[in-house]
Structure formats: C-alpha cells, structure tokens
C-alpha cells in the first residue's frame, strides 16, 4: 500500500500500511500505549517486562511525543533500540508543521520541533498508519478503525483521531458516542491507543492501551504471545485530562501491578 498523491509525498516517507512477518530472532512482541513524552515511565515499564532489545520486538501505538516533558528522550531511545511505531495525531502534527503545511504553527509546536531536532522530525515522517503482525493476525493503529471496512481502507483521520461512533457517524471528541471498538467485528484483533478517557479497553476484537500516563494514570503494555498486560504508574500528572474520567470508567489498572486480564482475539468485552 504505497503512499499516493501530494499529501502522502510530503507527509509520509514510508508505506502507509506495513505488514510484518514473524521475525526469526525475536521471542516476544511488546505493544505499548501512548507514551506522550513520559520517558521515565517507558523505561520503568520496559524494565518490568524485562525487555531485551536483541530478543524482543517493541511496537508503540503512536503519540510518542507531546504533552509530557521528555519527547526528545523518548524518540532517541525508540530509535536507538530499533523499535517500531505507528503514527499518532501528535506525531502527525509535528510532521505537518515540519513539511510547511501548517499556515500558523502554534508556539508549543514550534518549541517541540526545536526540542526534537530535524533528524527526529524526519524520522516521525517514516511512521506508518498501521502495522499488521501476520503471526498474530493483529493490527496496531493509533486511534480507530472504520467498522465494516478494512484497516487499509479506513480514512487517515479515523486511524489517527477516531474515538467513538454515534448513529454510525464518526466521533472524535473525548467521551462522546460509543467506543468504535464495540462495532469492530474482526476477524483481526486491533490494538490501539488515543482514547485515555475510556481507559483500558478490552473488546472481543480490539484492545485499547491508552491508560492516561501523561494525565497521572498508567503506562500499559500488551505482551505477546502470552497476551498478558503489564503497567507502571505515572510519576506525576504532567498534564490534566481535557475531561475528567467518568465515574463508571477505570482509567488504568489496579495499583497491585498485576494484569487485570489476559485479552485474546477470542475474549469478549
């Protein structure tokens, strides 16, 4: 699925959708939700799951940067260990600004661009919209997938911004509509981030890993092939959430540190 058109030429330095075969030299795959510049928590989580860069494959579900204080350190580390990532809306915002496609760049975006440096900004432009893991039949995307459609046919803004559905219409705001993952019928499992307001999500064919680390929640990982969850608590609330977590939503895992459940492609919501 090569990028097409002027839009892709400027904003994507890779294929829009990447398919990965099972690596012969990797025993585990570790998927992690939105990091948002929370580098100490990322290091702590990888230590907890005993990440070995030579033996494990690390994939992040987008939004590596922004909001938190250590965006440069996160990107430097991810590149150093050879990790993979899909593109989140915050990553994409930087790519658009660096490509000169934003008429008025916000001051905080300019500051982040300068902090990251030109090389890291160019690297963000290599991040695809989705990664498909053939051995697990799993898609990794940042935000959401259009129900009753293939991931590859889902609009770009859905893949990076979708949170819910309301009367079959896409919803992008926090907490509105029903989770899009409730309507995703598979058969592939989709692992995503972006929706910290709803916290940890486990549906029949989708797992949401954004547990609000930058908002004082947790940073969460799904470790394959065992389909086990792991998390570490945030060191602090780096940025308040746009809306409070609803009373009926647990935004992150229990403080005991034990997995809340072991999701699989056959588990129910």
């Amino acid at each position: 699925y090569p990028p097409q058109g002027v839009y892709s030429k400027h904003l994507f330095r890779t294929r829009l959708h990447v398919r990965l075969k099972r690596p012969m030299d990797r025993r585990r795959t570790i998927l992690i939700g939105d990091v948002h510049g929370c580098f100490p928590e990322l290091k702590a989580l990888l230590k907890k799951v005993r990440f070995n860069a030579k033996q494990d494959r690390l994939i992040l579900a987008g939004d590596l940067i922004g909001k938190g204080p250590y965006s440069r350190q996160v990107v430097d580390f991810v590149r150093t260990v050879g990790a993979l990532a899909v593109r989140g809306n915050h990553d994409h915002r930087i790519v658009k600004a660096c490509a000169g496609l934003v008429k008025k760049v916000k001051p905080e975006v300019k500051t982040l661009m300068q902090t990251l440096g030109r090389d890291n900004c160019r690297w963000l432009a290599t991040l695809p919209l989705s990664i498909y893991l053939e051995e697990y039949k799993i898609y990794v995307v940042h935000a959401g997938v259009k129900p009753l459609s293939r991931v590859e046919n889902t609009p770009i803004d859905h893949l990076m911004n979708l949170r819910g559905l309301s009367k079959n219409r896409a919803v992008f705001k926090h907490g509105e509509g029903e989770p899009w993952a409730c309507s995703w019928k598979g058969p592939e499992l989709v692992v995503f981030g972006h929706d910290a307001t709803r916290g940890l999500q486990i549906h029949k064919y989708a797992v949401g890993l954004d547990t609000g680390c930058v908002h004082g929640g947790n940073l969460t990982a799904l470790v394959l092939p065992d389909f086990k969850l792991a998390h570490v608590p945030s060191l602090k609330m780096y940025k308040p959430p746009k809306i409070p977590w609803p009373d009926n939503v647990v935004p992150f895992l229990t403080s005991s540190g034990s997995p809340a459940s072991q999701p699989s492609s056959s588990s129910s919501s």
Side-chain angles (χ1 to χ4, degrees), residues 76-129:
D76 284 344
F77 174 80
V78 167
R79 297 182 65 187
T80 297
V81 301
L84 304 174
V86 296
R87 187 179 306 195
N89 55 304
H90 283 265
D91 313 317
H92 192 59
R93 186 176 302 161
I94 292 297
V95 174
K96 288 194 297 182
C98 290
L101 299 179
V102 179
K103 290 184 178 180
K104 187 175 181 181
V105 181
K106 295 181 179 180
E108 61 268 25
V109 174
K110 287 184 179 179
T111 299
L112 184 53
M113 289 168 57
Q114 294 170 354
T115 299
L116 289 169
R118 180 177 298 179
D119 195 39
N120 280 337
C121 290
R122 288 175 63 87
W123 178 82
L124 289 174
T126 70
L127 300 184
L129 295 171

Side-chain angles (χ1 to χ4, degrees), residues 14-61:
T14 185
R15 292 178 179 270
L16 297 181
H17 304 280
V18 173
R19 299 177 73 92
L20 299 179
K21 296 182 181 296
R22 181 177 182 177
M24 300 301 295
D25 59 343
R26 296 291 189 268
R27 62 185 179 91
R28 298 186 303 170
T29 295
I30 300 169
L31 309 177
I32 294 181
D34 300 35
V35 177
H36 276 303
C38 298
F39 186 48
E41 290 85 351
L42 176 60
K43 290 194 299 181
L45 180 57
L46 292 176
K47 181 179 180 180
K48 182 171 185 176
V49 299
R50 298 181 180 180
F51 170 69
N52 185 319
K54 294 182 178 180
Q55 297 180 357
D56 299 322
R57 179 171 59 182
L58 177 62
I59 302 176
L60 289 86

Side-chain angles (χ1 to χ4, degrees), residues 1-17 87 92 101 125 128-129 152-154 156:
Y1 304 94
Q4 299 176 358
V6 175
Y7 183 83
S8 298
K9 178 181 177 182
H10 287 282
L11 299 180
F12 292 90
R13 298 178 181 272
T14 185
R15 292 178 179 270
L16 297 181
H17 304 280
R87 187 179 306 195
H92 192 59
L101 299 179
L129 295 171
E152 293 84 359
N153 295 333
T154 295
I156 289 177

Side-chain angles (χ1 to χ4, degrees), residues 202-239:
I202 300 176
H203 303 273
K204 186 173 183 179
Y205 291 107
V207 177
L209 294 179
D210 187 358
T211 47
C213 183
V214 76
H215 303 308
N218 284 10
L219 187 62
T220 300
L222 177 63
V223 183
L224 308 174
D226 296 329
F227 285 86
K228 290 186 177 180
L229 292 165
H231 83 282
V232 294
S234 175
L235 296 179
K236 60 182 292 187
M237 181 184 290
Y238 298 101
K239 186 173 183 178

Side-chain angles (χ1 to χ4, degrees), residues 238-250:
Y238 298 101
K239 186 173 183 178
K242 287 189 175 181
I243 64 173
W245 279 296
D247 293 337
N248 63 339
V249 171
V250 179

